[in-house]
């Protein structure tokens, strides 16, 4: 049976209101509700008959704190729960201080029913307590008239009622002591009132009794103190004492003891969640920044004392989580936290900053070498396999280091395993150390984060020490990302086409479509500059879609306009690893082919070996779907990836493209020729064609044509640089032969 509930919703989103009401109904309530989003409407609807107020923290004209203030100004006791999208720990604590019963996030409404039930129950307890307090006040006032009334009150009270004589000995205790603390009244009566009080609180209790003795008939509040339960735990109480020694009906100090243990536990839990990560049990970003701020202030008093911040990001954590599941991902984070802790001293602070990011405050170091030694130790520790769910999992981390202050001489100081900064270069790290000294902890943390990014760019499992130049580059990168977003919207990209030539006939057999960015002020931006940024930000997905669309459209235009030259011409388009993993890729390709009218057999998709090997099983399924549409498939940069020879026969691949690094060495390095011959032989045995990329000289072309097995195609500057569509037409229409 549904429980009737009169609810006032402070919410400016009807959709969010419906979700909240749905969750209430699901929890067994039958809400009768009104929704308001202005202060005036809120005041108009605020009345004592309300059972509950559910409020978004931020509204167009006011917020939940203002709503709580107005509620308190009207002296109304209505349970008030904050239900909001995002909120900081400080705001949560502030709301609770102003009287909010609870708070929830909108994306975690599953706890709404329990929170409402708890708030309503707490309201009932407050009502009951007020009623009990009123009753106690009336009965205490009439103690002289009826001792029996007094006993009826205290013996049925929900708090513990004590009567203590002038010597502090308990003369009476209410039966509730057994329910709350486990002691029978007989065990307490005749004993000192402080017998069961925590030793650290005895002085406070005695001082309160002394004040009560000095001021008869005046109530004195006894703040938090601890009393031992029979099970050995400590319960938290607050009390009010009243001296009635002059009253023969009582003849003692009346102590009303209220148990606030559960409230304190809830407060501690709230504080814990505000400052600690629930998964790993580590300090969170808020607590880390607080400790860092304290360390910065301490450093001002002792400028000779150095400290460092390390920012860590687990390499390829997302791949572990997606391939092995979120549970294993969480286990990996917990295990990582344990290994990181083992590398630190008790004075250091390890915090989880979010997802797969950690930060370390090295409290006291002598020079940069100490921080580097810790980074190296972390790399060795994380290099050991993790055993999770019966499986071995490997991960590495990229580490950024920011120092409180740095003497440039540190670069040449002795460190373990190296004699100078120049020898550090062999340790996969970046060294150009300048001061990262700042009064703001956020700035020092950002410096370490920036250095971590540079370590990750240089290669996984590396570390870098912050250089202010890094910040400048990070700002430039952010500007580049902004410009990229604009470029997509304003169509600043253009396709260039590089011919792929048959080595047996010398004729052009196809083109590779290559994207070029013409910036309105910078001119041509190198792909090596903007493609990595596009991949990191995910912007490669819309850019890739534009490239695929335009490449297919252009080839179809050529086919219709120059049928004599394009009857077997193919167009090759690169798929980045980000595109390859995106959902809906197959549907996107189908739509583009349908819109452009291009036969799928003329489209060749180039995918790097490492991209396919990141998740070979799912990649195989995707490749088979593409092959079922007669789309040609090519492995790009073959020979530089994961040594995927054992997988190659399982994939429906048409072409292998030999990486230019091997072609550059042919005729110069014997092993390059052998590698190329091996790839060509392997492709021939598997029925695949081969394209040699990076052909730049006549000697390289001759060497490729002299191979024992046929290398079918070549691509490179010897034939042509990438050209625009008009120049490409001139190339194939002239029927050039090489």
């Amino acid at each position: 049976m549904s429980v009737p509930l009169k609810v006032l919703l402070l919410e400016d989103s009807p959709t969010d209101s419906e979700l909240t009401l749905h969750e209430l109904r699901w929890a067994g309530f039958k809400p009768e509700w009104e929704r308001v989003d202005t202060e005036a409407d809120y005041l108009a609807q605020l009345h004592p008959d309300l059972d509950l107020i559910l409020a978004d923290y931020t509204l167009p004209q006011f917020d939940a704190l203002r709503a709580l203030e107005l509620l308190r100004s009207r002296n109304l006791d209505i349970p008030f729960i904050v239900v909001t999208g995002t909120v900081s720990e400080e705001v949560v604590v502030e709301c609770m201080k102003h009287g909010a019963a609870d708070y929830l996030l909108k994306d975690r409404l599953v706890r709404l029913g329990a929170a409402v039930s708890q708030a309503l129950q707490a309201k009932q307890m407050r009502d009951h307590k007020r009623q009990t307090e009123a009753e106690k006040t009336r009965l205490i006032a009439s103690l002289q008239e009826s001792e029996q009334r007094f006993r009826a009150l205290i013996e049925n009270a929900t708090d513990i009622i004590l009567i203590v004589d002038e010597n502090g000995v308990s003369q009476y205790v209410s039966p509730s002591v057994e329910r709350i603390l486990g002691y029978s009244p007989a065990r307490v009566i005749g004993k000192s009132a402080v017998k069961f009080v925590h030793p650290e609180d005895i002085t406070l209790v005695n001082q309160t009794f002394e004040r009560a003795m000095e001021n008869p008939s005046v109530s004195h509040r006894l703040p938090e103190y601890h009393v031992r339960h029979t099970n050995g735990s400590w319960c938290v109480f607050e009390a009010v004492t009243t001296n009635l020694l002059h009253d023969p009906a009582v003849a003692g100090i009346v102590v009303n003891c209220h148990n606030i243990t559960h409230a304190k536990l809830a407060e501690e839990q709230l504080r814990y969640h505000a400052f600690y990560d629930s998964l790993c049990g580590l300090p969170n970003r808020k607590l880390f920044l607080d400790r860092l701020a304290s360390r910065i202030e301490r450093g001002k008093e002792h400028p000779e004392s150095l400290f460092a911040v390390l920012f860590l990001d687990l390499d390829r954590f997302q791949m572990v989580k997606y391939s092995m599941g979120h549970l294993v991902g969480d286990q990996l984070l917990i295990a990582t936290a344990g290994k990181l802790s083992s590398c630190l001293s008790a004075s250091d602070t390890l915090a989880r900053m979010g997802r797969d990011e950690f930060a370390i405050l090295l409290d006291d170091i002598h020079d940069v070498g100490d921080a580097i030694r810790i980074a190296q130790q972390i790399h060795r520790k994380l290099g050991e396999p993790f055993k999770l769910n019966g499986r071995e999992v490997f991960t590495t981390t990229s580490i950024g280091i920011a120092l409180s202050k740095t003497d440039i001489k540190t670069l040449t100081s002795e460190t373990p395993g190296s004699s100078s900064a120049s020898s550090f270069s062999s340790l996969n790290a970046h060294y150009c150390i300048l001061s990262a000294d700042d009064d703001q902890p956020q700035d020092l943390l950002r410096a370490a984060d920036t250095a971590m990014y540079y370590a990750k760019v240089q290669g996984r499992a590396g570390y870098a020490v912050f250089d202010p130049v890094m910040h400048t580059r990070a700002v430039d990168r952010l500007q580049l990302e902004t410009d990229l977003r604009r470029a997509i919207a304003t169509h600043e990209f253009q396709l260039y086409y590089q011919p792929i030539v048959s080595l047996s006939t010398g004729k052009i057999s196809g083109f590779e479509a290559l994207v070029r960015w013409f910036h309105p002020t910078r001119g041509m931006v190198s792909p090596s500059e903007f493609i990595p940024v596009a991949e990191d930000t995910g912007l490669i997905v819309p850019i890739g879609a534009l490239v695929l669309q335009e490449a297919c459209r252009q080839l179809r235009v050529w086919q219709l306009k120059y049928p004599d030259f394009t009857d077997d011409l193919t167009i090759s388009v690169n798929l980045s690893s980000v595109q390859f993993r995106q959902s809906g890729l197959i549907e996107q390709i189908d739509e583009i082919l349908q819109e452009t009218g291009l036969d799928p057999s003329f489209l060749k998709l180039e995918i790097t070996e490492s991209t396919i090997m990141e998740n070979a099983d799912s990649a195989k399924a995707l490749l088979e779907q593409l092959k079922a549409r007669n789309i040609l498939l090519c492995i790009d940069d073959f020979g530089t990836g994961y040594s995927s020879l054992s997988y190659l026969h399982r994939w429906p691949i048409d072409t292998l493209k030999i990486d230019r690094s091997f072609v550059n060495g042919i005729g110069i390095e014997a092993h390059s020729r052998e590698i190329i011959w091996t790839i060509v032989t392997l492709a021939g045995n598997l029925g695949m064609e081969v394209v040699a990329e990076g052909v730049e000289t006549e000697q390289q072309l001759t060497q490729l044509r002299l191979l024992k097995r046929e290398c079918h195609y070549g691509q490179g500057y010897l034939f042509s640089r990438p050209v625009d569509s008009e120049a490409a037409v001139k190339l194939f229409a002239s029927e050039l032969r090489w």
Side-chain angles (χ1 to χ4, degrees):
M1 182 177 179
S2 298
V3 178
L5 191 69
K6 294 183 179 180
V7 185
L8 180 60
L9 300 174
L10 275 68
E11 176 61 69
D12 59 341
S13 169
T15 300
D16 288 351
S17 297
E18 285 300 322
L19 290 174
T20 302
L21 292 169
H22 173 76
E23 193 64 34
L24 284 174
R25 296 186 186 104
W26 181 262
F29 294 100
K30 183 180 179 181
E32 178 183 342
W33 58 279
E34 290 287 340
R35 182 177 68 84
V36 298
D37 57 7
T38 66
E39 183 173 324
D41 291 341
Y42 171 68
L43 290 172
Q45 294 294 333
L46 203 56
H47 53 79
D49 293 338
L50 287 172
D51 296 318
L52 179 68
I53 298 174
L54 298 176
D56 193 351
Y57 178 73
T58 303
L59 294 167
Q61 298 180 11
F62 73 124
D63 58 18
L65 286 176
R66 175 59 177 165
L68 282 165
E69 179 181 345
L70 294 171
L71 180 65
R72 188 166 53 185
S73 69
R74 292 201 171 188
N75 200 26
L76 293 175
D77 185 7
I78 302 171
F80 190 105
I81 296 178
V82 179
V83 182
T84 187
T86 57
V87 65
S88 66
E89 293 87 352
E90 295 88 348
V91 170
V92 170
V93 172
E94 197 67 18
C95 287
M96 301 300 281
K97 285 182 179 179
H98 279 71
D102 207 339
Y103 80 99
L104 298 101
L105 298 179
K106 290 182 177 180
D107 59 352
R108 300 178 185 174
L109 288 178
V110 67
R111 199 172 66 83
L112 180 60
V116 171
S117 297
Q118 186 176 357
L120 295 175
Q121 185 178 8
K123 170 66 163 51
Q124 289 179 338
M125 292 177 65
R126 290 196 299 274
D127 291 342
H128 178 70
K129 182 179 177 181
R130 280 194 289 267
Q131 293 170 2
T132 303
E133 291 293 336
E135 182 67 17
K136 284 193 291 188
T137 301
R138 288 195 301 270
L139 291 175
I140 291 175
S142 62
L143 279 175
Q144 293 177 336
E145 299 177 7
S146 175
E147 183 177 353
Q148 285 186 335
R149 289 185 185 180
F150 170 74
R151 290 188 179 278
L153 169 67
I154 60 175
E155 289 180 4
N156 292 283
T158 56
D159 294 340
I160 298 176
I161 308 298
L162 284 173
I163 299 179
V164 181
D165 64 16
E166 63 271 18
N167 297 316
V169 176
S170 300
Q171 301 298 312
Y172 172 84
V173 62
S174 63
S176 57
V177 69
E178 189 162 10
R179 172 173 49 81
I180 297 174
L181 290 174
Y183 301 107
S184 65
R187 188 174 173 184
V188 178
I189 294 174
K191 306 291 194 307
S192 170
V194 298
K195 176 178 175 59
F196 306 103
V197 174
H198 194 284
E200 294 181 0
D201 296 331
I202 290 177
T203 300
L204 175 65
V205 174
N206 286 331
Q207 289 174 348
T208 305
F209 284 168
E210 290 173 4
R211 287 195 297 270
M213 295 285 290
E214 295 169 358
N215 299 281
S217 301
V218 176
S219 295
H220 296 272
R221 181 176 178 273
L222 177 58
E224 296 177 13
Y225 65 102
H226 298 77
V227 179
R228 183 184 293 277
H229 193 282
T230 54
N231 63 14
S233 64
W234 292 99
C235 297
V236 187
F237 281 82
E238 59 184 13
V240 175
T241 65
T242 304
N243 184 347
L244 297 178
L245 287 169
H246 64 283
D247 192 330
V250 179
I253 297 174
V254 178
V255 186
N256 186 359
C257 310
H258 179 55
N259 185 7
I260 60 171
T261 304
H262 292 300
K264 293 300 295 182
L265 288 175
E267 181 181 333
E268 288 300 320
Q269 187 176 29
L270 180 61
R271 186 179 299 277
Y272 178 86
H273 287 302
F275 292 102
Y276 286 85
D277 169 61
S278 59
L279 178 64
C280 300
L282 298 175
N284 60 13
R285 178 182 292 269
K286 166 65 178 171
L287 183 54
F288 183 84
L289 288 173
D290 287 348
R291 291 185 181 178
L292 180 55
S294 299
R295 184 61 183 86
I296 290 173
E297 290 302 314
R298 186 152 44 95
K300 294 177 181 178
E301 300 175 3
H302 304 282
E304 74 286 354
S305 175
L306 304 181
F307 62 94
V309 173
L310 276 62
F311 197 93
L312 299 83
D313 179 86
L314 296 187
D315 300 322
R316 301 175 68 216
F317 170 74
Q318 290 297 90
M319 185 182 301
V320 173
K321 185 173 71 172
Y322 292 143
S323 62
M324 303 183 67
H326 289 266
L327 177 61
V328 174
D330 288 347
Q331 291 175 345
L332 177 59
L333 291 173
I334 295 170
T336 298
K339 288 190 176 185
L340 292 175
S341 297
S342 69
C343 299
L344 307 177
S345 66
S347 62
D348 299 328
T349 296
L350 170 64
R352 184 184 176 206
M353 309 304 282
R355 203 174 67 179
D356 59 339
E357 297 174 337
F358 296 87
I360 296 172
L361 171 59
L362 298 180
D363 185 69
D364 190 15
I365 61 174
H366 296 91
D367 54 34
V368 66
D370 288 343
I372 291 174
R373 276 188 288 271
I374 294 296
Q376 292 172 334
Q377 185 180 354
I378 289 172
H379 279 142
R380 288 193 297 270
K381 198 73 175 177
L382 294 187
E384 302 168 359
F386 293 84
K387 295 187 181 300
L388 306 175
N389 274 11
R391 301 173 63 178
E392 284 194 345
V393 177
F394 292 86
T395 188
T396 56
T397 183
S398 299
I399 304 175
I401 303 172
L403 306 177
S404 56
K405 59 176 66 175
T406 305
D407 188 334
I408 197 66
K409 294 178 181 178
T410 303
L411 284 172
T412 58
S413 65
E414 295 288 335
T415 59
S418 61
S419 58
S420 68
S422 61
S423 64
F424 291 164
S425 60
S426 63
L427 301 174
N428 192 22
H430 175 79
Y431 297 92
C432 185
I433 309 173
L434 295 174
S435 175
D437 193 17
D438 203 294
D439 290 344
Q440 298 302 317
Q442 296 91 340
D443 293 335
L444 197 58
L445 183 63
R446 184 171 60 244
D449 190 0
T450 301
M452 183 278 297
Y453 168 77
Y454 276 87
K456 190 174 286 288
V457 168
Q458 292 170 10
R460 303 182 192 277
Y463 54 87
V465 183
F466 177 73
D467 175 348
V469 174
M470 293 180 178
H471 176 67
T472 302
R473 292 173 181 167
V475 172
D476 292 342
R477 184 182 185 276
L478 183 61
Q479 182 61 52
L480 184 65
E481 179 184 338
T482 302
D483 291 349
L484 263 179
R485 295 182 186 278
R486 186 204 65 245
I488 294 171
T490 56
H491 307 289
E492 295 175 9
F493 297 103
Q494 181 179 339
L495 290 197
Y496 271 44
Y497 303 88
Q498 187 172 34
I500 299 172
V501 176
S502 169
L503 298 188
S504 60
T505 66
K507 292 176 58 179
I508 295 175
S509 64
F511 286 92
E512 180 179 357
L514 300 168
V515 65
R516 295 293 182 262
W517 179 16
F518 292 90
H519 192 282
T521 57
R522 295 178 56 187
M524 174 81 81
V525 181
S526 170
S528 63
E529 182 178 356
F530 75 83
I531 291 296
V533 176
E535 290 182 336
D536 287 346
T537 59
L539 293 175
I540 195 67
V541 172
I543 293 173
L546 291 173
V547 171
L548 185 60
Q549 173 85 26
E550 177 58 22
C552 292
R553 186 201 67 80
Q554 184 62 75
L555 179 56
R556 185 56 184 154
V557 168
W558 288 341
Q559 288 175 340
L560 294 174
K561 193 171 183 179
Y562 309 103
D564 294 338
F565 303 108
T566 59
D567 57 338
D568 58 353
L569 204 65
T570 61
I571 191 76
S572 297
V573 179
N574 290 284
L575 281 185
S576 76
S577 59
V578 180
Q579 287 176 275
F580 195 70
R581 291 195 302 267
Q582 70 171 316
S583 59
L585 174 63
I586 295 291
E587 293 77 9
Q588 182 185 78
I589 293 173
D590 286 342
E591 184 178 348
I592 288 174
L593 290 171
Q594 184 176 2
E595 288 180 357
T596 59
L598 182 67
D599 187 317
S601 62
F602 293 102
L603 172 63
K604 180 180 290 187
L605 297 178
E606 297 192 4
I607 308 150
T608 63
E609 183 181 4
S610 57
T611 294
I612 298 176
M613 284 302 298
E614 282 182 356
N615 195 330
D617 292 335
S618 62
K620 180 176 182 292
L622 184 56
L623 292 173
E624 287 174 346
Q625 291 183 67
L626 293 170
K627 193 61 184 173
R629 288 158 169 77
N630 291 323
I631 296 173
L632 300 173
L633 299 174
C634 171
I635 295 184
D636 195 11
D637 300 335
F638 188 77
T640 63
Y642 281 80
S643 301
S644 56
L645 299 182
S646 61
Y647 286 86
L648 193 57
H649 71 281
R650 298 167 50 189
W651 299 331
I653 301 299
D654 301 285
T655 306
L656 298 181
K657 180 175 278 191
I658 301 174
D659 186 71
R660 66 178 63 247
S661 61
F662 302 126
V663 176
N664 289 341
I666 194 170
I668 302 174
E669 301 170 346
H671 72 275
S672 292
R673 178 180 173 84
E674 292 302 317
I675 290 174
I676 293 175
W677 180 84
T678 301
I679 295 174
V680 170
T681 301
L682 175 66
N685 292 337
L686 295 175
M688 300 176 186
E689 295 183 328
V690 178
V691 178
E693 188 176 27
V695 181
E696 297 182 355
T697 67
E698 291 286 354
Q699 181 187 14
Q700 292 168 355
L701 178 59
T702 300
Q703 290 290 329
L704 290 171
R705 283 175 166 161
L706 289 176
L707 291 173
K708 297 177 183 178
R709 294 292 293 264
E710 181 181 3
C711 180
H712 305 88
Y713 303 102
Q715 178 182 351
Y717 286 177
L718 175 64
F719 308 114
S720 172
R721 291 177 177 271
V723 296
D724 60 25
S725 58
E726 292 183 3
V729 170
K730 293 178 181 178
L731 283 176
F732 67 71
S734 64
E735 296 190 279
L736 285 172
R737 290 177 181 267
W738 284 272

